[in-house]
Amino acid sequence: MPAALHVTETEDRLVVELHRPEVRNAIDRRMVDDLHGVCGDLEERPRTLIITGSGGIFASGADIAELRERRRDDALAGINSTLFARIAALPMPVIAALDGYALGGGAELAFAADFRIATPRLRIGNPETGLGILPAAGATWRLKELVGEPLAKEILLAGRILTAEEALDARLITSIHEPDELLRAAHDLADRIARQDPLAVRITKSVFHAPREAHPMIDQLAQAILFESDAKFDRMQQFLDRKKGS
């Protein structure tokens, strides 16, 4: 059976291409299991993750043939939601490079990323209610946080599918690139992340996602850790040296 993912890794990042072109990269249980394997690797050795799709499509949704056969216990197991929560919680940033369709579970996977960039061909949304179900892997709460309640309700309750320009206007994505430039743009963003101190990035991501009531104490504790790091002293000294030499 062909691999559901194509994975390329370097010292500071890992690129995952969803690869089920025969079904427009629909997310099935095998792909979910493979992505859990990716998460385990990145939890053990933190690096930036870039997720993209093959054949001009990110992910057309969950595999409907498989989804049709799922029952109550499958829903309660949270097959997709458990994975997407794990992706969102990865130590280093996650970049979703979106081309073509990012629908249903594909959209929810994109919502779990820290950054979303796209091509002009993007069509993103959650048509689940048209199939007699709801988007139960994060869209009902992540989307409201990302685009606000009125637009989230239009997407979730009325089946609105956003174009790339509409997604950019809503700040659901941060930039639009031609298809042959999309992956390069994702790598450029990963390069910017790589220029930061990795520990500072990891801790900042954790603090960013902490509940409101945890602040400001968690900020102070996190800063206390970073104030003692070698990178803080080295990077600040380099800054002072550059300033002195300018």
Side-chain angles (χ1 to χ4, degrees):
M1 183 177 293
L5 305 177
H6 288 173
V7 179
T8 306
E9 58 181 311
T10 64
E11 186 64 29
D12 64 8
R13 73 198 61 171
L14 194 141
V15 180
V16 170
E17 178 189 83
L18 309 180
H19 191 75
R20 298 187 70 219
E22 70 282 3
V23 287
R24 297 182 174 182
N25 302 329
I27 300 170
D28 67 350
R29 186 60 184 265
R30 180 167 57 99
M31 185 181 284
V32 167
D33 291 343
D34 289 349
L35 284 168
H36 272 298
V38 168
C39 289
D41 183 16
L42 292 173
E43 288 160 354
E44 183 175 334
R45 184 183 163 207
R47 286 160 289 165
T48 295
L49 171 62
I50 298 172
I51 306 177
T52 190
S54 61
I57 294 173
F58 181 68
S60 59
D63 189 304
I64 301 301
E66 186 178 90
L67 192 62
R68 184 184 180 279
E69 301 306 313
R70 290 183 182 172
R71 306 300 294 264
R72 176 192 60 202
D73 289 347
D74 297 305
L76 292 174
I79 294 169
N80 285 5
S81 61
T82 300
L83 170 65
F84 298 164
R86 192 175 183 186
I87 288 173
L90 285 171
M92 291 291 283
V94 177
I95 302 166
L98 310 173
D99 192 10
Y101 295 118
L103 300 175
E108 291 180 299
L109 172 56
F111 300 158
D114 298 292
F115 303 95
R116 284 161 297 280
I117 63 174
T119 74
R121 304 186 296 204
L122 175 67
R123 297 296 181 269
I124 186 168
N126 291 92
E128 281 91 340
T129 54
L131 296 171
I133 58 173
L134 64 84
T140 56
W141 56 277
R142 281 199 181 100
L143 191 54
K144 179 169 63 176
E145 295 177 352
L146 291 168
V147 303
E149 185 173 319
L151 181 55
K153 283 183 175 177
E154 192 172 355
I155 293 167
L156 297 172
L157 305 180
R160 179 175 173 183
I161 304 300
L162 301 183
T163 65
E165 287 291 346
E166 290 170 333
L168 183 64
D169 289 344
R171 305 306 293 164
L172 183 58
I173 62 174
T174 55
S175 57
I176 298 175
H177 308 272
E178 290 304 315
D180 60 354
E181 298 172 357
L182 180 64
L183 194 56
R184 179 66 263 165
H187 279 291
D188 288 344
L189 178 52
D191 289 342
R192 287 161 52 195
I193 294 167
R195 289 195 289 270
Q196 315 308 310
D197 172 49
L199 180 61
V201 171
R202 289 180 60 182
I203 291 180
T204 300
K205 178 175 176 177
S206 295
V207 170
F208 184 91
H209 289 291
R212 175 64 182 84
E213 56 271 17
H215 301 275
M217 179 57 70
I218 192 171
D219 306 64
Q220 295 163 0
L221 292 172
Q223 191 75 296
I225 293 170
L226 291 171
F227 270 12
E228 298 297 324
S229 72
D230 291 339
K232 175 251 189 179
F233 290 99
D234 292 343
R235 285 173 174 261
M236 289 190 177
Q237 188 59 54
Q238 290 167 9
F239 173 85
L240 293 172
D241 291 344
R242 288 195 301 270
K243 188 176 181 180
K244 187 185 299 183
S246 62

